[in-house]
Amino acid sequence: MSLSRFLDLADFTRSEVEDLIGLANHLQSHPEPSALQGKILGLVFLNPSLRTLASFQAGMARLGGTSFVITPGQGTWGLETRLGVRMDGSAAEHIREGLPVLASFCDALAIRAFADGKDLAADCADTTFKAMAALVDKPFINLESAINHPCQALADWKTLNDLSIAPRSKFVLSWAPHPRALPLAVPAAALHMAALRGHDVVVARPDGFALPAAIMARARVAAAQSGGSVTETTDRTDAMQGAQILYAKEWGCTSAYGDAAVDAALRATLGDWQVTAETFVGATADCRLMHCLPVRRNVAVADEVLDGPRSVVLQEAHNRLVVQMAVLHRLLA
Ligand code: CP
């Protein structure tokens, strides 16, 4: 399978995903330290990162290539992403010039650009990210856009494989508390990943935090094709009965998207959605906790769970490096 862009796990069939993970497993046991010799990856981070930044740089180095990192506005010109605006604010350069210039310096470009968090339809359509992708004529990687995080989803799929979690087992995607609204990218990507892998997925979330209908519908189609299912509930205790995986994630209110006051009022009453040892009552004995990280301890997930045997968050994070090396290999080797 050749690859020119890695934008969305939904662009791949189940067998193509397994093929990529097969390459990741192969590179784990048979390192190829010269595979990308002479190749350069450009990394543009419009938002902060720990795992994505470090794992892509490490992955390129382990394959013999190199990388440069641009964090617009921090030592480099601020980048304007909006089209058609009068640029009299802080951004000195527009993506229409900045991104093609950066792409001309490297063999592949990768961009992180979170949701604006104001217009749900625009964020669900990934309008800004798609506009940026259209400016780049090189192999291109989504490092997390408004509505997608395919690298995280691929690492999560590999983590489920590594744990021998059966595809038809119950996968609960649970909303978790956070001091403020976070984007929908990871929950949307995790939902689609689990649906495509064939799980019986239950999205457990409070009223006001339903995932957008189009995201749910797309996941239902993927689940049906893979022999799984997708349902949703506001009753997490019920959802957890028989669960094999609890995937915890924080996200913002969707019923009044972009309204910080409504969001804050809603989440102020939802502290008991924190994942604790009690959350696993009724789940399988070896039900695992997944979370993409970073995680707020004792807000989203209690110490007792993160530090206990159910947690696989460190394996998930390490798998970011492993699967991204396969993506880089496919794009550039
Ligand atoms: N999970 C994830 O993407 O982590 P970072 O935000 O640290 O890159």
Side-chain angles (χ1 to χ4, degrees):
M1 176 188 55
S2 67
L3 203 61
S4 62
R5 302 208 143 196
F6 190 69
L7 303 180
D8 184 348
L9 206 66
D11 293 337
F12 302 89
T13 64
R14 267 181 72 149
S15 64
E16 287 170 337
V17 174
E18 290 291 2
D19 191 44
L20 258 179
I21 291 173
L23 175 59
N25 292 335
H26 176 79
L27 290 171
Q28 257 187 315
S29 53
H30 299 83
E32 293 189 20
S34 302
L36 300 190
Q37 198 162 19
K39 302 287 186 184
I40 301 171
L41 172 69
L43 293 158
V44 180
F45 282 89
L46 289 142
N47 309 96
S49 167
L50 185 147
R51 278 144 292 273
T52 307
L53 172 59
S55 57
F56 266 103
Q57 288 192 289
M60 276 305 281
R62 285 184 185 279
L63 290 167
T66 188
S67 55
F68 64 79
V69 178
I70 300 289
T71 49
Q74 294 175 41
T76 60
W77 303 119
L79 278 183
E80 177 61 64
T81 59
R82 296 168 298 165
L83 302 177
V85 294
R86 181 177 153 80
M87 287 177 57
D88 56 359
S90 59
E93 180 147 21
H94 201 280
I95 55 169
R96 290 187 67 83
E97 288 77 44
L99 293 183
V101 167
L102 290 173
S104 77
F105 297 155
C106 57
D107 300 288
L109 196 69
I111 298 182
R112 165 168 283 194
F114 287 175
D116 286 340
K118 293 174 190 149
D119 180 339
L120 183 58
D123 284 345
C124 284
D126 239 353
T127 311
T128 305
F129 194 80
K130 285 179 180 161
M132 291 195 280
L135 296 168
V136 177
D137 62 356
K138 293 277 174 71
F140 189 72
I141 303 172
N142 181 345
L143 302 180
E144 187 174 340
S145 63
I147 203 64
N148 224 314
H149 198 348
C151 297
Q152 184 66 51
L154 188 61
D156 291 341
W157 187 309
K158 174 168 160 50
T159 305
L160 293 165
N161 284 6
D162 292 348
L163 295 166
S164 302
I165 304 291
R168 278 309 304 268
S169 55
K170 191 173 186 182
F171 182 108
V172 177
L173 170 62
S174 174
W175 184 87
H178 191 274
R180 60 182 174 81
L182 292 189
L184 298 167
V186 170
L191 168 63
H192 202 87
M193 178 279 298
L196 187 63
R197 197 171 181 269
H199 288 277
D200 289 321
V201 187
V202 184
V203 181
R205 45 71 184 171
D207 283 328
F209 292 83
L211 293 177
I215 301 291
M216 293 293 291
R218 193 173 83 143
R220 286 194 174 102
V221 171
Q225 287 169 350
S226 298
S229 63
V230 173
T231 57
E232 61 185 321
T233 179
T234 56
D235 186 340
R236 188 175 64 183
T237 303
D238 185 50
M240 285 301 291
Q241 302 311 299
Q244 185 68 59
I245 295 290
L246 171 57
Y247 195 110
K249 186 66 191 87
E250 315 80 346
W251 67 86
C253 155
T254 48
S255 62
Y257 193 74
D259 188 327
V262 171
D263 184 285
L266 275 174
R267 70 181 55 244
T269 66
L270 299 170
D272 60 352
W273 279 73
Q274 180 185 150
V275 176
T276 65
E278 204 181 326
T279 307
F280 292 87
V281 171
T284 59
D286 59 351
C287 179
R288 305 300 189 127
L289 170 83
M290 297 180 75
H291 189 287
C292 65
L293 303 180
V295 63
R296 297 237 180 182
R297 283 177 170 257
N298 304 310
V299 175
V301 184
D303 283 344
E304 66 202 18
V305 180
L306 283 168
D307 297 332
R310 294 190 187 280
S311 175
V312 294
V313 299
L314 298 184
Q315 289 100 306
E316 273 182 275
H318 179 71
N319 274 334
R320 291 291 304 278
L321 169 66
V322 181
V323 298
Q324 288 160 195
M325 284 172 66
V327 171
L328 292 167
H329 197 284
R330 277 276 194 274
L331 286 170
L332 292 171

